[in-house]
Amino acid sequence: VQLQASGGGLVQPGGSLRLSCATSGFTLDYYAIGWFRQAPGKEREGVSCINSSDGTIYYTDSVKGRFTISRDNAKNTVYLQTNSLKPEGTAVYYCATPCAGSDYDLLFPDFGSWGQGTQVTVSS
C-alpha cells in the first residue's frame, strides 16, 4: 500500500490549493480513504473521509463549505480541493486509509497507511 500526497505550497489567506493523493498497491474503490492534517506541536486532526461502500463524505466542522474531497478510482487518485484557506489551516496534510466518519468524528486508526504528506502554509 502506497499513498503519495502532493499539491501543497504557500498560499495567502483566502487562497486555494488542490491536493492530490496517488495510490497504489490496493484497489482504491474498496476502501474508505481520506485526509488528516497535523500542525507542529498539535495532534492529528481528521479533515475528511469518503466511504467506499456508498460514497458518503464527512468533513470536520472547521472545513465544511470550503473543502471538497473526491476520488477518481480509474486514476487511483484522491483529491482535496481546499478553498478560502485560513492561517489555522497550516499543517502537513496526509491522505490515509482506512478512515471512518460520522456526524461527530473522523477516525484515522494508527494501523492505517499514509504517505509522507504535503505541506500547506497559509500566510500573508
Side-chain angles (χ1 to χ4, degrees):
V1 175
Q2 290 189 332
L3 303 97
Q4 182 61 56
S6 62
L10 173 64
V11 62
Q12 292 186 344
S16 300
L17 287 171
R18 189 192 194 204
L19 308 184
S20 298
C21 175
T23 71
S24 63
F26 65 104
T27 303
L28 179 59
D29 51 346
Y30 289 176
Y31 293 87
I33 191 166
W35 295 83
F36 67 85
R37 62 189 178 187
Q38 189 160 24
K42 295 189 177 181
E43 294 186 353
R44 182 191 308 171
E45 178 190 25
V47 175
S48 183
C49 175
I50 181 167
N51 281 350
S52 60
S53 56
D54 59 5
T56 303
I57 291 173
Y58 301 92
Y59 297 100
T60 190
D61 286 345
S62 63
V63 308
K64 285 180 181 177
R66 300 187 297 116
F67 289 14
T68 303
I69 189 172
S70 62
R71 63 197 294 168
D72 185 333
N73 293 332
K75 294 183 178 180
N76 296 318
T77 303
V78 181
Y79 303 98
L80 185 69
Q81 178 67 44
T82 66
N83 297 330
S84 302
L85 283 162
K86 303 177 180 180
E88 52 264 40
T90 295
V92 179
Y93 285 69
Y94 301 85
C95 59
T97 188
C99 57
S102 71
D103 291 337
Y104 309 101
D105 203 359
L106 284 168
L107 300 176
F108 289 83
D110 290 341
F111 62 79
S113 299
W114 54 87
Q116 289 187 332
T118 186
Q119 175 71 48
V120 173
T121 303
V122 186
S123 175
S124 55

